[in-house]
């Protein structure tokens, strides 16, 4: 106990605070001692209490005088009764204690003590649910008096008065018991369940039996005998009281016995699944009808109404628990599903009630029938309120589901965007309204919640305003629909919103317009039908789908026209409005029936014509050769007309297929097998002829000639009815015989297919190898020998390593300022990439050429094979010619061994030497590699010379010495090209622009000869520093010149003059020198323009 801080604080507060006068310590449900400031409501063990006599703090000095303590039983009333009976009454009744009391005081005290004992007994009985009749203190004397009266002895007449007083008190108690009603909780406004009714009669029976046991006890019988023999006026009242208790006890026993079977049904309903309640309703009401028919004391409308009201209360409570007070926060569909289940259960409850009510007569047999003649409102009042409350919630969910459709509503047409924006604004407003309504904290399923009803009315008023706005939008959208299809999409999109009263009120006037538009659709379908009939008799023929036979195409066309007409009618029938049953609608229905009849007649006519000529069609198509060759392109194709197959697939009616056509269709699986393999053969054969090169054709000419000879048989000799293939029109041929005929045909088709597939595969693999060679050469072209470093210089250190790795088949991966060598190829084409440990590039090319020799099955030394090798040689030469350009940053020193000129010449030489790394594919030629071929290419030689000239030109233009020479000799510089001679020639410019404007026009890079570019930022910074230093030097020179000049350009060096002239002779020269100060003034103005102040020297 003392381990918890809150317990320690409570004990300290009791000890220290005077106002806290009680402390109780008891054992809680876990068996731990717990302090409390009040007596516990219930406990299973004894408790210890500490009570202060007065408001004071407990101290060491006053603890004995201040505190009263003791233990308390876990049944306080029993302890109180025991104290009164065993302690107080004996003490007061002891004659020794009354020896000094007056007689009046003793009698009064004994009377009050008897009253206390009786009150405690009565109160204890009430707590236990029983009525205990208290006996007077003189009960023993009354028994003796009755015995004395029976023997004729004398007794105290005052005891008769005491018995009469007890009878009066008992009558009050018994009257209170008999006046109790099971309807009392309902009258008090409570909502008890049916178990309360059953428990009431069970408790009433037990209580009345207890009263009778007390009334028939020995002492009470002696007391009643005393009254009877004393001819007391209270004895008849006592007898009537006993009789009423007996009758009430019989009534309670009868009702309790008959209501007992209902308990099991009620408990199953309360503890079972709510959705399964309808299955339990009939047994429950059947049992209740048996109670009504067999219990004479319970066969009273007032009592059955109480039971039914309590059952309704139970149904309301079960519904409340099932629906949950959080229902508004549920998903709308889920909430509606719960409400539907609740309505189904409640409706089943009411339906079962009315059903059993109508069949009460069968429960009475030959006895008089007592019907339920009370008003149903008395039974279902509260239940109906619950249903009405749930209807409000259902209306809310239906509104939510309807308006949530607006989230995905999007209109088309001219006004589509504007109408969609309006709908989205309404949807946003509804979301805010819905969020506020669903976030309420009260219980919406509480039938006494009047605030929910008021809020729901406010919610629906705002929704009604939105309905009116939506009605306007829907009418505008309807007017913007160009055809029936658009209107039906609009109706489907809006869905249940159209059923809302305010929207339906405005939108209902649009339905006649829908009928008119559908009538126009039927007229348009009739025009299409008439046009098709007219085209059937023209040379061009009717309009049908592409790639379809004529008959199947016509039937497909009629089917599409039927679907076009019928689909709109199906949607029209789903429109729930009275306009669809008007006279105009009947006219449209007749027009629809007429159109469907025309289409059916057209299909029947087409089909009838086809059945008359199907035999000739089948014969003509099956007499065609298996294959046909185009006279110009020489391509072949399968020559099979699928008209009968298409007809069978497209015709969905129950028409009878002619025997000849059906016999062909019966072999559709075999035909499909043959056609698929023939199609494969045709595709592969045509692919060979389309992709074969002139240099490759001689290598496969023999094999191709053999295949053509076998194909010629299918082109000119065999057809679909040839002997050995198919004898279709022999009626006596069995299916087994036809399969035997097909087997020889299949062997022929399979043989041609395999030969063509083998040839195509070998040709394809050879082309893949050629592409791999091109990919290898492309890898060379894509892999640069030189790469820029991080500081924009070429990484020349690894060029030799790269050359070696390219020769051995490795890969080069460039990184920031470094290079890494990967022992893998870079081809990556069709699985021919080089892997670690494999051969190099040149060996790989050799292996691919050897594979092609096997694919073409050619002789190694034949002329056709050497021509093919020459073709591969040209591919390798083209690959070497397309090696990449080199981009780098050179050093500009001409006399350096690693200078720009020697560097570029070395790079070009390395590029040419790439051709020496590849051995020649055509080994019959004299050269072993391709370097000589590269050198003989005029284009490459010209480019080599052009590179050399460009390098020398930009070296002259970009070197510092050349810039300095131009500046010192002419005062100009050349940005590139042009005349480098004297001043002012073309291509030169004067160095006189303002420094600020030059800085603003200075670019980050400077170009020379259109291909050589330098980074001008370092030069720009150095130039600015030099200009700044020169500017300070010039200004200082001018300041010194002005400060120490005599106006003629000579410095003043003291009193004697700078040139030795005496001061006295200066005035003689004044007139000659007055005009010589103009240059000095100009110098001063120049210094002022550059913001240079002139210091004034003090005059002496």
């Amino acid at each position: 106990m003392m381990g918890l801080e809150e317990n320690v604080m409570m004990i300290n507060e009791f000890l220290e605070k005077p106002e806290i006068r009680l402390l109780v310590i008891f054992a809680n449900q876990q068996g731990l001692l717990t302090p409390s400031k009040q007596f516990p409501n219930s406990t299973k063990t004894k408790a210890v209490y500490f009570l202060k006599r007065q408001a004071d703090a407990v101290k060491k000095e006053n603890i004995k005088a201040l505190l009263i303590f003791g233990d308390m039983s876990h049944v306080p009333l029993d302890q109180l009764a025991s104290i009164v009976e065993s302690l107080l009454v004996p003490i007061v009744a002891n004659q020794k204690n009354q020896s000094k009391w007056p007689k009046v005081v003793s009698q009064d005290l004994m009377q009050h003590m008897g009253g206390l004992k009786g009150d405690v007994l009565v109160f204890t009985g009430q707590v236990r649910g029983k009525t205990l009749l208290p006996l007077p203190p003189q009960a023993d004397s009354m028994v003796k008096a009755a015995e004395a009266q029976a023997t004729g002895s004398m007794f105290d007449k005052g005891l008769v008065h005491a018995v009469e007083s007890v009878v009066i008190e008992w009558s009050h108690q018994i009257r209170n018991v008999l006046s109790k009603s099971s309807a009392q909780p309902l009258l008090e406004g409570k909502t008890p369940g049916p178990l309360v009714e059953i428990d009431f009669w069970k408790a009433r029976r037990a209580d009345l039996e207890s009263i009778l046991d007390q009334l028939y006890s020995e002492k009470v019988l002696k007391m009643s005998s005393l009254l009877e023999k004393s001819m007391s006026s209270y004895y008849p009242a006592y007898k009537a009281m006993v009789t009423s208790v007996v009758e009430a006890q019989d009534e309670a026993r009868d009702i309790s016995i008959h209501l007992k079977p209902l308990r099991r049904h009620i408990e199953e309903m309360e503890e079972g699944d709510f959705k399964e309640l309808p299955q339990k309703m009939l047994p429950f009401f059947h049992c209740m009808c048996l109670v009504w028919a067999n219990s004479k004391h319970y066969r009273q409308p007032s009592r059955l109404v109480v039971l039914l009201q309590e059952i309704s209360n139970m149904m309301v409570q079960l519904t409340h628990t099932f629906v949950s007070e959080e229902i508004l926060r549920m998903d709308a569909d889920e909430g509606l599903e719960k409400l539907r289940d609740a309505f189904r259960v409640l409706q089943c409850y009411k339906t079962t009630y009315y059903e059993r009510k109508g069949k009460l007569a069968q429960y009475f047999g030959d006895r008089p029938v007592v019907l339920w003649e009370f008003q149903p409102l008395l039974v279902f009042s509260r239940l109906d309120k619950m249903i009405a409350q749930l209807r409000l919630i259902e209306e809310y969910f239906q509104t939510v589901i309807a308006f949530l459709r607006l989230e995905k509503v999007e209109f088309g047409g001219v006004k589509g965007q504007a109408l969609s924006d309006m709908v989205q604004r309404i949807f946003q407003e509804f979301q805010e309204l819905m969020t506020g309504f669903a976030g309420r904290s009260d219980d919406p399923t509480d039938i006494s919640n009047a605030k929910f009803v008021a809020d729901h009315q406010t919610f629906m008023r705002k929704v009604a305003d939105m309905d009116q706005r939506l009605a306007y939008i829907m009418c505008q959208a309807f007017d913007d629909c160009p055809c029936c299809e658009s209107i039906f999409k609009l109706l489907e999109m809006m869905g249940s919103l159209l059923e809302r009263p305010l929207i339906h009120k405005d939108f209902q006037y649009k339905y006649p317009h829908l009928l008119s538009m559908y009538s126009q659709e039927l007229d348009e379908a009739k025009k299409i039908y008439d046009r098709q009939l007219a085209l059937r008799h023209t040379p061009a023929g009717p309009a049908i789908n592409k790639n379809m036979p004529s008959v199947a195409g016509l039937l497909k066309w009629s089917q599409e026209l039927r679907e076009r007409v019928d689909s709109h009618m199906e949607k029209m029938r789903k429109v729930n409005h009275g306009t669809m049953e008007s006279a105009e609608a009947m006219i449209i229905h007749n027009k629809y029936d007429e159109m469907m009849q025309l289409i059916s007649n057209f299909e029947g006519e087409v089909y009838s014509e086809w059945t008359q000529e199907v035999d000739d069609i089948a014969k003509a198509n099956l007499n065609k050769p298996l294959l046909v060759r185009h006279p110009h392109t020489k391509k072949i194709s399968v020559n099979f007309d699928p008209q009968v197959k298409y007809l069978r697939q497209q015709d969905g009616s129950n028409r009878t297929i002619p025997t000849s056509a059906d016999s062909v269709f019966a072999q559709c699986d075999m035909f499909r097998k043959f056609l698929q393999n023939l199609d494969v053969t045709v595709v592969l054969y045509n692919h060979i002829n389309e992709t074969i090169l002139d240099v490759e054709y001689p290598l496969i000419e023999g094999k191709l000639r053999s295949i053509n000879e076998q194909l010629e048989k299918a082109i000119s000799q065999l057809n679909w009815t040839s002997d050995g293939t198919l004898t279709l029109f022999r009626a006596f041929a069995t299916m087994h015989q036809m399969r035997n005929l097909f087997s020889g045909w299949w062997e022929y088709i399979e043989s041609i297919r395999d030969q063509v597939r083998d040839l195509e595969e070998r040709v394809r693999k050879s082309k893949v190898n050629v592409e791999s060679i091109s990919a290898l050469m492309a890898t060379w072209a894509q892999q640069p020998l030189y790469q820029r470093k991080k500081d924009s210089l070429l990484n020349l250190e690894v060029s030799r390593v790269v050359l070696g790795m390219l020769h051995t088949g490795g890969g080069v991966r460039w990184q920031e300022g470094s290079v890494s060598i990967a022992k893998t190829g870079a081809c990556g084409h069709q699985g021919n990439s080089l892997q670690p440990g494999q051969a190099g590039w040149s060996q790989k090319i050799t292996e691919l050429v050897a594979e092609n020799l096997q694919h073409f099955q050619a002789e190694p030394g034949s002329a056709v094979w050497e021509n093919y090798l020459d073709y591969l040689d040209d591919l390798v030469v083209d690959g070497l010619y397309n090696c990449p350009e080199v981009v780098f940053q050179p050093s500009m020193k001409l006399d350096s061994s690693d200078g720009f000129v020697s560097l570029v010449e070395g790079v070009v030489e390395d590029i040419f030497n790439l051709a020496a790394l590849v051995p020649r594919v055509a080994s019959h030629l004299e050269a072993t590699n391709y370097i000589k071929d590269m050198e003989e290419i005029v284009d490459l030689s010209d480019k080599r010379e052009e590179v050399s000239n460009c390098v020398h030109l930009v070296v002259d233009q970009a070197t510092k010495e050349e810039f300095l020479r131009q500046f010192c000799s002419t005062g100009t510089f050349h940005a590139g090209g042009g005349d480098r001679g004297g001043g002012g020639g073309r291509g030169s410019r004067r160095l006189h622009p303002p420094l600020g404007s030059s800085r603003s026009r200075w670019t980050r890079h400077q170009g020379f000869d259109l291909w050589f570019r330098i980074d001008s930022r370092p030069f720009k910074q150095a130039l600015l520093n030099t200009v700044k230093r020169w500017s300070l030097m010039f200004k200082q020179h001018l300041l010194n010149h002005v400060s120490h000049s005599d106006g003629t350009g000579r410095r003043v060096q003291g009193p004697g003059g700078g040139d030795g002239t005496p001061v006295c002779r200066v005035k003689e020269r004044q007139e000659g020198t007055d005009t010589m100060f103009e240059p000095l003034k100009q110098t001063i103005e120049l210094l002022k323009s550059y913001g240079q102040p002139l210091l004034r020297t003090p005059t002496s």
Side-chain angles (χ1 to χ4, degrees):
M1 177 180 69
M2 302 303 292
L4 297 177
E5 184 179 355
E6 57 183 8
N7 294 343
V8 176
M9 291 178 58
M10 187 175 297
I11 294 174
N12 289 335
E13 289 178 354
F14 170 74
L15 297 175
E16 297 173 358
K17 295 183 178 180
E19 62 271 14
I20 300 178
R21 301 182 61 179
L22 177 64
L23 179 67
V24 180
I25 299 177
F26 62 96
N28 58 17
Q29 295 180 353
Q30 290 77 24
L32 301 178
L33 293 179
T34 304
S36 175
K37 297 179 181 179
Q38 57 187 2
F39 289 101
N41 294 329
S42 64
T43 178
K44 295 182 179 180
T45 59
K46 286 185 177 182
V48 179
Y49 66 89
F50 298 89
L51 181 64
K52 296 179 182 179
R53 298 177 184 272
Q54 57 186 9
D56 195 0
V58 179
K59 301 178 182 178
K60 183 178 180 181
E61 295 80 11
N62 64 353
I63 184 171
K64 292 183 179 181
L66 184 63
L67 289 183
I68 300 175
F69 58 90
D71 60 349
M72 183 177 62
S73 173
H74 64 285
V75 188
L77 287 177
D78 291 348
Q79 184 178 10
L80 177 62
S82 178
I83 291 174
V84 171
E85 185 175 358
S86 302
L87 183 63
L88 295 181
V89 173
I91 292 175
V92 174
N94 192 343
Q95 295 296 329
K96 294 181 180 180
N97 295 330
Q98 299 180 8
S99 60
K100 297 182 179 180
W101 295 351
K103 184 178 181 179
V104 177
V105 174
S106 298
Q107 292 178 351
D108 184 68
L109 186 59
M110 289 298 297
Q111 184 178 359
H112 282 82
M113 189 57 64
L116 175 62
K117 181 180 177 181
D119 292 342
V120 171
L121 181 65
V122 171
F123 185 72
T124 303
Q126 290 177 349
V127 172
R128 295 177 179 177
K130 293 183 178 181
T131 301
L132 298 180
L133 302 177
L135 294 176
Q138 308 91 341
D140 295 336
S141 301
M142 293 177 181
V143 172
K144 294 177 181 180
E147 294 175 351
Q149 185 185 29
T151 59
S153 302
M154 298 296 293
F155 62 92
D156 187 1
K157 298 295 183 180
L159 293 176
V160 176
H161 175 70
V163 173
E164 292 175 348
S165 300
V166 171
V167 169
I168 294 173
E169 184 178 355
W170 288 353
S171 64
H172 292 163
Q173 288 182 262
I174 293 174
R175 186 173 63 251
N176 292 335
V177 172
L178 297 178
S179 62
K180 288 182 179 180
S181 172
S182 60
Q184 189 63 32
L186 294 173
L187 298 175
E188 294 175 356
K190 299 179 181 179
T191 57
L195 289 179
V196 174
E197 178 77 4
I198 298 175
D199 292 338
F200 171 81
W201 289 107
K202 180 180 178 181
R204 183 181 180 87
R205 174 186 176 182
D207 191 18
L208 292 174
E209 288 178 351
S210 174
I211 292 175
L212 282 179
D213 291 341
Q214 296 176 66
L215 291 177
Y216 290 151
S217 65
E218 183 178 0
K219 289 184 178 181
V220 175
L221 290 177
K222 294 286 186 181
M223 293 168 60
S224 64
S225 174
L226 181 62
L227 289 179
E228 180 182 6
K229 292 179 179 181
S230 299
M231 301 181 66
S232 172
S233 59
Y234 286 92
Y235 180 74
Y238 171 79
K239 293 295 291 183
M241 179 183 68
V242 174
T243 302
S244 61
V245 171
V246 172
E247 293 175 352
Q249 191 266 346
D250 292 338
E251 178 189 50
R253 183 175 63 253
D254 175 72
I255 295 176
S256 177
I257 291 174
H258 285 89
L259 291 182
K260 185 177 180 180
L262 290 176
R263 177 181 293 273
R264 179 174 62 86
H265 294 283
I266 294 172
E267 289 177 350
E268 289 179 356
M269 295 172 68
E270 289 181 341
E271 298 172 1
D273 188 4
F274 182 81
K275 297 180 181 180
E276 298 178 357
L277 285 181
Q279 305 172 7
K280 303 173 183 178
M281 290 295 180
L282 185 59
F284 172 75
F285 274 99
H286 174 74
C287 185
M288 192 165 59
C289 290
L290 290 174
V291 172
W292 175 262
N294 295 284
S295 177
K296 62 180 180 179
H297 295 96
Y298 206 74
R299 197 185 305 137
Q300 299 178 15
S302 60
R303 289 179 175 170
L304 185 61
V305 166
V306 171
L307 179 61
L308 290 174
Q309 286 182 353
E310 292 174 343
I311 294 172
S312 297
N313 292 337
M314 179 188 69
M315 295 302 300
V316 169
Q317 182 60 37
L318 292 176
T319 305
H320 177 273
T321 304
F322 173 74
V323 173
S324 172
E325 62 183 18
E326 300 292 330
I327 188 171
L328 293 182
R329 297 180 179 86
M330 293 183 182
D331 182 72
D333 293 328
E334 181 183 357
L336 268 182
E337 186 64 26
K338 275 204 166 191
L339 291 177
R340 293 191 187 102
D341 292 337
F343 290 138
R344 178 175 57 85
V345 172
L346 297 179
Q347 187 61 37
C348 178
Y349 168 67
K350 298 182 71 172
T351 303
T352 307
Y353 164 80
Y354 286 111
E355 179 187 356
R356 292 296 95 188
K357 179 181 179 180
K359 297 180 179 181
L360 279 175
Q362 66 185 16
Y363 292 97
F364 284 88
D366 298 335
R367 295 173 295 166
V369 179
V370 181
L371 299 177
W372 295 348
E373 297 179 348
F374 47 84
Q375 294 294 328
L377 183 62
L378 297 175
V379 177
F380 301 121
S381 174
R382 197 161 182 269
L383 188 70
D384 292 340
K385 291 181 180 178
M386 185 65 179
I387 294 175
Q389 195 86 350
L390 296 181
R391 291 296 180 189
L392 297 180
I393 301 176
E394 181 187 29
E395 183 180 14
Y396 163 75
F397 279 135
Q398 291 174 346
T399 304
V400 170
I401 291 176
F403 273 82
L404 286 181
R405 300 176 67 94
L406 299 179
E407 183 179 8
K408 299 181 180 179
V409 168
E410 186 174 354
F411 298 105
V414 179
K415 303 177 182 178
Q417 186 61 44
L419 296 178
S420 299
D421 294 341
M422 295 169 65
V423 169
Q424 290 306 312
R425 284 195 295 270
I426 294 176
F427 176 70
Q428 293 175 1
E429 293 178 14
F430 179 78
Q431 276 191 317
E432 296 175 0
L433 182 63
M434 178 186 68
T435 303
F437 187 79
R440 56 191 309 111
S441 58
D442 55 354
D443 184 5
T445 60
D446 184 4
I447 60 177
S448 61
N449 188 357
K451 186 176 184 301
F452 171 78
V453 178
D455 291 346
H456 180 270
Q457 293 175 353
T458 304
F459 175 83
M460 295 309 299
R461 281 197 300 270
K462 295 181 179 179
V463 170
D465 177 69
M466 298 180 188
D467 285 341
Q468 293 177 346
R469 292 157 60 188
L470 281 175
Y472 168 78
I473 295 173
M474 291 180 189
C475 292
Q476 292 292 319
F478 184 94
D479 295 339
D480 205 30
C481 290
C483 60
C484 289
E485 186 67 25
S486 301
I487 293 177
F488 287 126
K489 287 182 179 180
L490 174 65
L491 299 180
E492 183 179 1
M493 179 173 61
M494 303 313 295
S496 58
L497 284 171
L498 295 173
E499 300 176 2
R500 300 186 64 80
L502 293 177
I503 297 178
H504 179 76
K505 179 181 177 181
D506 293 343
F507 195 78
Q508 62 180 343
Y509 302 105
K510 300 297 180 181
Y511 290 109
H513 184 59
L514 174 60
L515 291 176
S516 175
M517 293 185 68
Y518 183 62
S519 178
Q520 296 176 6
E521 288 277 351
L522 291 176
D523 295 339
E524 183 65 25
K526 181 63 168 58
K527 292 179 182 178
I528 296 174
Y529 173 80
D530 294 339
R531 187 162 53 249
Q532 183 77 331
L533 287 183
L535 289 174
R536 286 194 66 192
H537 305 291
T538 61
I544 60 175
N545 293 331
K546 294 182 179 179
N547 303 323
M548 292 193 70
S550 58
V551 176
L554 284 174
L555 294 179
K556 180 65 176 176
W557 173 87
S558 64
Q559 180 182 354
E560 292 174 351
L561 183 61
R562 180 191 297 274
E563 291 176 355
R564 173 178 175 179
V565 175
D566 192 53
S567 62
H568 290 173
M569 176 54 70
E570 289 296 326
K571 296 176 181 178
M572 186 81 70
R573 292 192 178 102
K574 295 179 181 179
V575 176
N576 185 18
H577 191 263
T579 306
M580 301 301 138
E581 299 178 0
S582 61
E584 293 81 0
M586 295 300 103
I587 295 174
I588 292 176
H589 279 283
N590 294 334
K591 187 183 295 187
Y592 163 78
D593 295 337
E594 180 184 354
M595 189 68 221
M596 296 301 290
Q597 185 63 40
L598 290 175
I599 295 174
S600 298
N601 294 339
F602 175 81
E603 291 176 348
E605 181 181 351
V606 172
Y607 188 81
S608 176
E609 293 177 359
W610 174 77
T611 55
Q612 296 175 6
E613 58 184 12
V614 65
D615 291 342
D616 297 335
I617 294 174
K619 292 179 181 179
N621 290 332
L622 294 174
N623 285 329
K624 294 179 179 179
L626 302 183
L627 300 175
V628 63
R629 187 186 296 274
H630 195 276
H632 302 295
T633 62
K634 302 302 180 182
K635 293 183 179 180
I636 62 174
S637 58
V638 181
N639 192 23
F640 182 80
D641 194 336
Q643 181 171 1
V644 176
K645 180 182 70 173
Y646 270 105
L647 178 65
R648 185 63 179 266
Q649 291 178 351
Q650 298 296 336
D651 183 34
S653 64
N654 296 323
R655 299 186 182 95
T656 303
I657 302 296
T659 305
S660 57
D662 200 45
S663 61
V664 174
F665 186 79
Q667 305 300 324
C668 64
D669 292 337
M670 293 185 180
F671 277 122
R672 185 180 299 108
K673 179 180 178 181
F674 297 154
L675 290 174
Q676 288 175 351
N677 284 272
L678 285 175
D679 286 338
V680 171
T681 303
V682 167
V683 171
L684 295 179
Y685 178 84
N686 292 336
H687 183 261
I688 294 173
N689 287 313
E690 290 174 356
T691 59
I692 196 71
L693 301 177
D694 293 339
V695 71
E696 296 173 336
Y697 181 78
L699 297 172
I700 63 169
E701 184 177 7
K703 184 64 177 178
L704 197 59
R705 187 184 304 111
S706 175
I707 293 174
N708 285 331
E709 291 175 357
Q710 298 184 53
L711 290 175
E712 191 62 30
K713 183 179 179 181
I715 295 174
S716 59
Q717 299 179 15
L718 298 178
N719 58 38
W720 300 98
T721 60
S722 298
D723 293 338
T725 58
L726 177 64
T727 309
L728 184 64
F729 298 103
R730 295 178 182 176
F732 55 83
T734 64
M735 187 62 64
H736 178 69
Q737 292 172 334
M738 297 179 73
R739 288 197 182 97
N740 292 335
L741 294 174
F742 276 124
S743 62
W745 196 12
W746 169 245
E747 292 176 0
Y748 168 75
I749 294 175
E750 189 177 28
S751 175
I752 296 179
R753 182 203 64 192
D754 293 341
Q755 294 180 47
V756 174
R757 179 180 290 171
D758 176 68
L759 179 60
E760 192 276 337
E761 184 177 3
R762 290 189 286 110
V763 173
R764 177 172 50 81
K765 289 182 178 179
S766 67
K767 291 183 177 295
V768 169
N769 289 341
V770 173
E771 293 176 359
S772 299
I773 294 174
S774 300
L776 289 172
M777 302 311 300
T779 304
W780 281 48
Q782 295 171 1
Q783 182 64 64
L785 289 177
Y786 301 96
Q787 185 76 9
R788 288 186 182 275
K789 292 184 179 181
K790 189 174 182 180
D791 56 356
S792 299
L793 296 179
L794 286 182
N795 193 349
L796 302 177
E797 292 82 353
V798 296
S799 61
R800 301 304 173 187
V801 180
V802 173
L803 288 174
M805 294 308 300
L806 289 175
H807 180 65
T808 59
V812 182
R813 181 170 62 254
W814 293 94
Q815 299 176 353
E816 289 291 337
S818 63
V819 64
S820 61
I821 308 300
K823 290 291 186 178
T824 58
C827 179
H829 183 76
Q830 297 289 339
N832 289 327
S833 60
L834 294 178
Q835 300 299 328
Q838 290 186 355
W841 300 111
S842 59
Q843 185 176 351
K844 182 61 179 178
I845 294 176
T846 304
E847 292 176 356
L848 294 175
V849 173
E851 290 180 7
N852 280 10
L853 179 63
Q854 297 178 0
H855 293 328
F856 287 119
Q857 299 176 358
E859 294 294 332
S862 62
V864 293
W865 177 247
E866 290 181 353
N867 289 337
Y868 184 71
L869 293 180
D870 292 338
Y871 160 70
L872 297 181
D873 256 8
D874 294 337
L875 290 180
V876 176
V877 171
D878 292 340
L880 294 173
Y881 173 72
N882 292 324
C883 282
E885 298 179 359
V886 180
V887 181
F888 58 95
Q889 178 177 349
S891 174
M892 301 303 294
K893 296 183 179 180
L894 295 176
D895 54 351
S896 176
S897 60
D898 58 350
F900 176 66
V901 176
S902 60
L903 180 61
V904 173
E905 289 177 353
V907 170
V908 174
E909 189 67 24
D910 287 340
I911 295 174
F912 270 84
N913 288 336
L914 285 174
L917 300 178
V918 183
R920 184 171 292 279
V921 175
S923 58
H924 61 280
L925 299 179
E926 180 180 355
T928 60
N929 53 43
Y930 295 94
I931 189 170
K932 185 176 180 181
D933 298 73
M934 298 295 101
E935 292 176 349
E936 291 177 354
I937 296 176
V938 178
D939 193 10
L940 289 179
S941 299
D942 293 343
K943 288 183 178 295
R944 188 174 188 175
E945 184 66 23
E946 181 181 355
V947 170
S948 178
N949 294 336
C950 290
V951 168
H952 285 83
L953 180 62
V954 297
V955 166
D956 292 341
Q957 295 176 356
T959 55
K960 186 185 302 182
E961 290 79 2
E962 178 65 16
F963 262 67
L964 183 60
R965 185 188 65 79
Q966 292 183 29
F967 181 77
C968 293
S969 62
T970 65
T972 62
F973 72 89
H974 294 268
D979 183 14
R980 294 193 297 254
R986 183 175 180 180
S988 65
R989 56 178 179 172
R990 306 296 297 175
L991 294 176
H992 297 308
L995 184 59
S997 61
S998 299
R999 291 179 60 185
S1000 63
R1001 294 196 303 270
W1002 202 303
T1003 60
R1004 178 176 178 179
H1005 299 93
Q1006 296 293 329
F1008 296 88
D1009 202 20
L1010 302 179
W1011 66 273
F1012 189 78
R1013 188 174 65 178
I1014 64 172
D1015 188 352
S1016 61
R1017 289 177 296 176
F1019 175 73
K1020 175 183 176 181
Q1021 187 62 38
L1023 178 61
L1024 291 176
N1025 293 337
T1026 302
V1027 170
K1028 184 65 174 179
R1029 188 166 58 253
W1030 288 359
S1031 173
L1032 293 176
M1033 180 183 68
F1034 288 149
K1035 286 191 287 186
Q1036 187 62 39
H1037 169 72
L1038 294 177
L1039 282 173
N1040 294 338
H1041 175 71
V1042 172
S1043 300
H1044 302 88
S1045 177
D1046 59 356
T1048 61
R1050 294 176 296 177
R1051 297 176 62 85
V1052 179
Q1053 297 183 356
D1059 56 352
T1061 303
V1063 179
C1064 61
R1065 300 185 61 183
V1066 172
K1067 294 182 179 181
E1068 299 176 0
R1069 301 173 55 184
Q1070 181 176 359
E1071 295 179 0
T1073 58
D1074 284 342
T1075 59
M1076 300 173 62
F1077 279 95
E1078 187 63 29
L1080 187 61
K1081 291 181 180 179
Q1082 294 178 358
T1083 301
I1084 294 173
E1085 293 297 329
L1086 177 62
L1087 289 172
K1088 288 182 178 181
S1089 66
Y1090 283 99
Q1092 184 64 39
L1094 296 178
L1095 299 177
R1096 295 180 177 271
T1097 58
T1099 58
S1100 57

